Amino acid sequence: MKVKLRNPDREVETSGNRKVRDILRELDLDPDTVLVIRDRELLMREDHVTEGDLVEIRPVISGGAIKCRRCGGAAVVEIRRHNAAFCRGCFLHHVREQVKRAIKAYAMFGPEDRVLVAVSGGKDSLGLWDVLLNLGYRVTGLYLGLGIGQYSHGSAEVARRFAEDRRATLLEVDLAQTYGFDVPTAGRRGSRSTCAVCGLSKRYVFNRAALEHGFDVVATGHNLDDEAATLLGNTLRWQTEYIARQFPVLPAAEGMVRKVKPLHRLSELETAAYAFLRRIDYVVEECPLVAGNTQLRYKGAMNGLEAGSPGTKAQFFLGYLDRGAPLFRSEERAKLRECERCGQPTTGRFCAFCRARAQILGERLGPPPADREVAVELSEEVLPAEIYGGAMP
Amino acid sequence: MKVKLRNPDREVETSGNRKVRDILRELDLDPDTVLVIRDRELLMREDHVTEGDLVEIRPVISGGAIKCRRCGGAAVVEIRRHNAAFCRGCFLHHVREQVKRAIKAYAMFGPEDRVLVAVSGGKDSLGLWDVLLNLGYRVTGLYLGLGIGQYSHGSAEVARRFAEDRRATLLEVDLAQTYGFDVPTAGRRGSRSTCAVCGLSKRYVFNRAALEHGFDVVATGHNLDDEAATLLGNTLRWQTEYIARQFPVLPAAEGMVRKVKPLHRLSELETAAYAFLRRIDYVVEECPLVAGNTQLRYKGAMNGLEAGSPGTKAQFFLGYLDRGAPLFRSEERAKLRECERCGQPTTGRFCAFCRARAQILGERLGPPPADREVAVELSEEVLPAEIYGGAMP
């Protein structure tokens, strides 16, 4: 197999059927700083490349032949959807401007607010923390220990070092110590998928910790790619209530602290390039439990469309905020009340976290609530009866 | 390269970098009767297969090992999203039931209505004409000559033979003879893409012919894949007005005959299998001008998602009709008035067809109307000024 490197222009031979991630490791390339392209299609880290494929590795951080749009100096980062390139300094400025613009446009928080950043140890959350510290906000990190073996140990280490280097405060919560289960256990027991119960636990713990420690707002590192993929998934199923709630700011409500996504205007490549250029040591590995995750399929579909037409992701998500969201306002969730177990807000008797936890730990919560969530798989939703509108012919 | 045929289970060796369409031709396989799969991804006819790839060709029309869900006989067609298989007779029944269901659900037309089917010579339009004749409706075909060389000649021949065999009436309009331009010329001159001006011409001519010949309704062969791809494109851009108008029936209005899509519940593989099993001789080739068409990119993205989760297309489009469409009702187009040139309905002074035609023929229509449509390319829509909300930093 030939691997063509665009800049510098050299070809590398490898053999056999291999994963993109392994080829990049061998070439000592950071997967977050390059586009890997075969036949005008972007490849993901888990994709396979076989004998006979010609693969182009196109650096996001290029050699400097292109000029910075802002200062005219040698550019190091190219952003196709903006048809622009920037030098290091102007790129960092660009990222900060995008974050400032997002904070201002949605009145996310002000200089007096106490902001809690949800820290995973990846490029997005550490990059966000870094930008917010740099802009002078009052920011504290919160790391949630999920108990995913070496992956979690590494993430915690990285988060601690980041905080130490910057003399920032890092709070830590361990899911197993505090709530009696870890994510791998939750994935094996209970009815939810691993990713579903992990997401649920994060939302719950971050909200609860923010309330208990008196924070005004929780900021998460969701980037444009995350938001576009989530919106695609919600739209493919026309989950109008979820679509209505997918917004860069969710206002505070009874028992719910305000949630904000200051990176929603920046692509995954931009946040990766930011972390790289700021020399942030972050966890590059994907979570080992994420394989086959539907979110990754949606990202794959969006990447395919973006490759054919740069700007598709931004147009989809920012276009939704501009023209789509107003149409979904009426679909927002019903009134919240207090969970009878933990007091956190919920639409039913017990919140989803307490229900999941009881299921995982084999406890009883009392009679099952009437509105129990059912995990509906995509392929189950078109049932025979639905095809024929009732009885079979 | 090895090509694995699933049923019967034999492998075929070929070599070099080749198109899927050429491999299928060599194996004497009709591309509309098989799924071509590489690494759990569906390949399109124009995709390339290279040395070292293992490609599975999975017949839609299988060998009969699986039982028909309706009668228990040997099945010949498998439909993954329904997790079902049918014998020939029950599959034809299934297709007719889906068409009957669509006609009834949207009150498309009744037994007394005069229906004009837009005939291209492909599987969908001929299949639709066949089903409607079979169900006893009063149907006439209309073939529009687009002037695309051998492709148009072949399509016209196929449509004429189909009509002759069934003693059905086929009307014909030649774009060049009647309106002074053909589609290849229109694509070279004027500001619209070839596919855009072709679609515009079809909508215009079919509507005008239906009015002039006293038809009650125009039926087109758009299938589920067409509708899902169009909806994806419209949604990615949040073109709310287009989304609002994408419905299986568009009611008649001043100067606009009713438009219906009776195949919208059937996938492309189902309409292809129907045409094949009914031994309809149809044009298998794609239009030679369609290469790079964005619609094909959207179909590719939907096929990728469908492969990972069968039922995605149906859930997306039928879910839109059910839960999405009501939210877009308010976005429908403004009032129509008469085109000052041809009298057909339009929102401006001159209709889009007359504007395109004048541009192609180098004629003047009078002062340019204020609401002139501008062809906006996807990549042009995120402009530098838009990134920074005005002046550059």
Side-chain angles (χ1 to χ4, degrees), chain A residues 264-336:
Chain A
H264 76 270
R265 301 184 58 83
L266 292 161
S267 73
E268 195 139 65
L269 274 174
E270 285 170 289
T271 62
Y274 178 84
F276 179 86
L277 291 172
R278 286 283 294 161
R279 293 181 188 83
I280 295 172
D281 178 27
Y282 65 90
V283 176
V284 177
E285 287 75 43
E286 288 292 344
C287 168
L289 305 178
V290 88
N293 180 315
T294 50
Q295 182 81 351
L296 289 184
R297 273 218 302 276
Y298 300 139
K299 280 197 174 175
M302 288 306 303
N303 282 341
L305 292 163
E306 180 83 16
S309 186
T312 301
K313 285 174 201 169
Q315 194 174 41
F316 180 46
F317 184 64
L318 303 181
Y320 160 72
L321 296 180
D322 188 33
R323 298 185 300 285
L327 303 174
F328 289 86
R329 289 269 155 73
S330 59
E331 301 294 299
E332 275 194 77
R333 194 182 280 265
K335 278 265 168 287
L336 298 176

Side-chain angles (χ1 to χ4, degrees), chain B residues 226-273:
Chain B
D226 295 326
E227 294 302 298
T230 300
L231 183 61
L232 179 63
N234 289 337
T235 308
L236 286 174
R237 296 193 203 101
W238 292 96
Q239 291 175 310
T240 54
E241 203 179 83
Y242 292 173
I243 296 172
R245 285 178 56 80
Q246 202 192 334
F247 218 65
V249 60
L250 287 179
E254 193 60 47
M256 301 275 269
V257 78
R258 195 188 321 149
K259 310 285 185 328
V260 299
K261 298 171 180 172
L263 301 185
H264 76 272
R265 300 184 59 82
L266 292 161
S267 74
E268 195 138 66
L269 274 176
E270 286 171 286
T271 62

Side-chain angles (χ1 to χ4, degrees), chain A residues 137-193:
Chain A
Y137 287 105
R138 298 175 65 192
V139 212
T140 299
L142 171 57
Y143 176 80
L144 172 60
L146 302 164
I148 310 176
Q150 189 46 49
Y151 173 74
S152 286
H153 288 299
S155 309
E157 268 314 300
V158 154
R160 285 174 202 140
R161 265 204 309 275
F162 179 96
E164 215 175 277
D165 289 351
R166 283 155 184 81
R167 285 165 211 201
T169 310
L170 178 70
L171 305 178
E172 293 194 44
V173 175
D174 188 81
L175 196 60
Q177 270 173 32
T178 314
Y179 297 100
F181 67 91
D182 58 21
V183 164
T185 309
R188 283 191 303 273
R189 302 187 201 161
S191 59
R192 287 175 176 76
S193 74

